[in-house]
Amino acid sequence: MTAVAMEHNDPTSNRSLRLQTLIRLRWLAVGGQSIAVIITALWLQFPLPLLLCLVLIATLALVNTYLTLRFPPTHRLRPPAAFALLGLDLAQLTGLLFITGGLANPFAPLLCVPVIISSASQPKPHSIVLAGLAVIGVTALAFSPFPLPWYPGTLLLMPRVLTAGIWFAIVSMTAFAAFYTYRVSLEASELSEALTATELVLQREKHLSQLDGLAAAAAHELGTPLATISVVAKEMERELGDDPRFGEDVHLLRSQSERCRDILKRLTTLSSESEEHMRLLPLSSLVEEVMAPHREFGIHINLVEKGDKASEPVGNRNAGILYGLGNLLENAVDYAKKQVTVTVEHTAEHVKVTIADDGDGFAPDILMRIGEPYVTRRQKDDSAGGLGLGLFIAKTLLERSGARLRFENGGADRPGAKVSVEWPRALMDTKLAK
């Protein structure tokens, strides 16, 4: 249904994580861990394995330094490399928490951070595996033999029920945050791809609309050299017209040059006389141009015009409106059984175009999501598709022109789908726009 073919797979499968972004996050982790350990050991003077903690923090810092020196700032990580680095971050943080109290450590929920980063930027299988490793790490923390650093002479013991509750809270938070991040990233990627397709379609439509101007420009440019050829052909015909060897060729040359001049003259005349007609479209002409390509598919298209035709709005040719209405009509023709009705009405305040078919209409759940990217069916059991990216592009282009769209089903007396597109008249009438 659309002019742009795009794959609708997991959008994170072809996205790469920039190494510099991960390095900066890791330096933030190194700084935060160092401050926490130094405050705990030197200011609060809580007993903890300081040397082992510093070794784990230094390991993360050394890996970060190596990556900074080894790769340029613009380097992007492929999914396996990103998975390895995020897995290293998860292991380092798990080890640091393990020797500082396990789940009793108030920083234990930070284990979900690598999983969230992976969910936002990496393929789903990698994120699932990393989430599984995080669950294993949280479980290991529940059995940590190292006590939470606390005041000397005081042993802080956590009840098993509280430990189990913290374990469940961290695991559920990790799962929820990862799923939420994945969904948001998925929708953002789909929207970005769909908007890119919208821009490409609009550029194509504008390019087609500009071809008449290019033809006129070519006619003007070719006029002078062709006039010279014609003059030379006349002189040659005067001198060699009766020559048995070249006379026929000279006559042919002159006749063809005159034919080219006539063609260019018609192009130039079309541009000068019809330029305003091509640039401005009455509402009835706009609707007819939209309907014309869809009349030969065995579905009767009935046009109902409400309002005085003498007072109809005349607006600038808009490639986005032509494509958007054309796509809506194409969908209606695809799903109609016998007839599609296009109703056009205009008043002093608004302009409205309604496209209704006599098909099965929209499924209730689809009707709620219509206009989102990749909503591909009207009915759940409909395998034909056709209401996915194309409808999103049409809706986006029409809304950019100032229109408001409404999708609904007909009543019991008139089943089928109905789409209403309404503009303020000032946006569709050049006289009011001025």
Side-chain angles (χ1 to χ4, degrees):
M1 301 296 289
T2 67
V4 180
M6 302 181 68
E7 293 185 2
H8 181 215
N9 299 320
D10 181 1
T12 60
S13 62
N14 54 9
R15 187 188 303 175
S16 56
L17 181 64
R18 195 161 71 103
L19 178 60
Q20 188 66 27
T21 301
L22 192 57
I23 288 176
R24 289 174 180 173
L25 292 174
R26 296 171 114 216
W27 281 126
L28 183 62
V30 168
Q33 292 173 7
S34 301
I35 293 173
V37 169
I38 291 173
I39 290 177
T40 302
L42 302 182
W43 185 30
L44 299 176
Q45 296 185 349
F46 290 169
L48 81 164
L50 180 60
L51 181 59
L52 192 53
C53 290
L54 294 178
V55 168
L56 288 173
I57 296 173
T59 300
L60 186 60
L62 288 175
V63 173
N64 232 22
T65 302
Y66 169 77
L67 294 174
T68 303
L69 298 176
R70 174 66 177 78
F71 298 98
T74 57
H75 181 73
R76 291 191 172 273
L77 298 169
R78 297 183 64 82
F83 173 80
L85 290 179
L86 292 172
L88 176 62
D89 295 342
L90 182 64
Q92 187 266 351
L93 183 58
T94 301
L96 191 60
L97 292 170
F98 187 81
I99 63 176
T100 56
L103 290 185
N105 193 311
F107 294 103
L110 289 176
L111 277 177
C112 69
V113 173
V115 180
I116 293 175
I117 295 175
S118 179
S119 299
S121 61
Q122 300 303 302
K124 187 161 52 176
H126 293 73
S127 300
I128 292 175
V129 173
L130 195 65
L133 295 177
V135 172
I136 294 174
V138 174
T139 305
L141 294 182
F143 297 97
S144 171
F146 295 89
L148 179 70
W150 202 243
Y151 294 103
T154 303
L155 183 61
L156 186 63
L157 295 177
M158 292 184 60
R160 291 184 178 180
V161 175
L162 181 59
T163 301
I166 294 176
W167 179 91
F168 181 78
I170 294 177
V171 170
S172 59
M173 180 183 68
T174 301
F176 174 79
F179 177 76
Y180 180 82
T181 305
Y182 171 76
R183 287 302 307 173
V184 170
S185 176
L186 180 68
E187 292 177 3
S189 298
E190 290 179 347
L191 184 60
S192 176
E193 291 177 357
L195 288 175
T196 299
T198 302
E199 294 295 337
L200 292 175
V201 168
L202 185 57
Q203 289 179 11
R204 189 199 67 172
E205 295 298 318
K206 288 182 177 179
H207 176 72
L208 293 176
S209 299
Q210 293 169 353
L211 287 180
D212 60 322
L214 293 176
H220 285 293
E221 292 295 328
L222 292 173
T224 300
L226 192 58
T228 304
I229 294 174
S230 180
V231 171
V232 174
K234 288 180 180 179
E235 294 296 329
M236 293 178 63
E237 184 180 27
R238 186 179 299 113
E239 297 293 333
L240 302 174
D242 298 329
D243 191 302
R245 294 175 301 170
F246 305 110
E248 184 178 350
D249 293 336
V250 171
H251 285 300
L252 179 62
L253 176 62
R254 172 142 182 224
S255 64
Q256 292 302 310
S257 66
E258 292 294 339
R259 181 184 177 190
C260 289
R261 288 186 63 186
D262 290 339
I263 293 173
L264 293 181
K265 185 178 180 180
R266 286 199 299 270
L267 286 174
T268 306
T269 303
L270 177 63
S271 173
S272 59
E273 295 179 354
S274 306
E275 182 177 0
E276 188 69 11
H277 169 73
M278 295 297 291
R279 187 175 66 86
L280 297 177
L281 274 181
L283 180 61
S284 57
S285 298
L286 182 147
V287 173
E288 181 58 36
E289 186 170 336
V290 170
M291 295 170 53
H294 307 288
R295 293 187 183 277
E296 306 299 328
F297 294 96
I299 299 296
H300 177 66
I301 301 178
N302 182 32
L303 176 62
V304 178
E305 295 183 278
K306 298 181 179 180
D308 186 5
K309 196 168 184 178
S311 62
E312 68 176 337
V314 178
N316 290 317
R317 173 183 290 272
N318 187 313
I321 294 177
L322 290 170
Y323 179 86
L325 291 178
N327 187 274
L328 296 179
L329 183 59
E330 182 180 359
N331 280 314
V333 170
D334 285 343
Y335 287 96
K337 295 178 179 178
K338 295 181 179 179
Q339 177 176 289
V340 172
T341 301
V342 179
T343 305
V344 182
E345 56 182 300
H346 55 86
T347 66
E349 291 78 26
H350 72 269
V351 175
K352 187 175 181 181
V353 176
T354 303
I355 301 173
D357 62 68
D358 60 351
D360 296 327
F362 301 110
D365 57 333
I366 297 298
L367 190 59
M368 296 175 59
R369 299 177 52 226
I370 224 134
E372 294 181 9
Y374 307 111
V375 177
T376 57
R377 292 177 177 87
R378 279 196 180 185
Q379 303 288 339
K380 289 183 179 180
D381 59 348
D382 185 357
S383 61
L387 279 179
L389 189 57
L391 183 56
F392 171 83
I393 293 174
K395 182 174 182 289
T396 301
L397 292 176
L398 290 171
E399 287 178 343
R400 284 185 179 183
S401 71
R404 290 184 303 172
L405 280 77
R406 183 178 179 182
F407 300 87
E408 56 188 333
N409 287 325
D413 58 333
R414 189 175 184 136
K418 182 167 69 172
V419 183
S420 301
V421 188
E422 183 174 343
W423 296 265
R425 178 159 181 145
L427 296 178
M428 298 291 286
D429 198 331
T430 54
K431 294 180 182 179
L432 295 179
K434 293 177 180 179

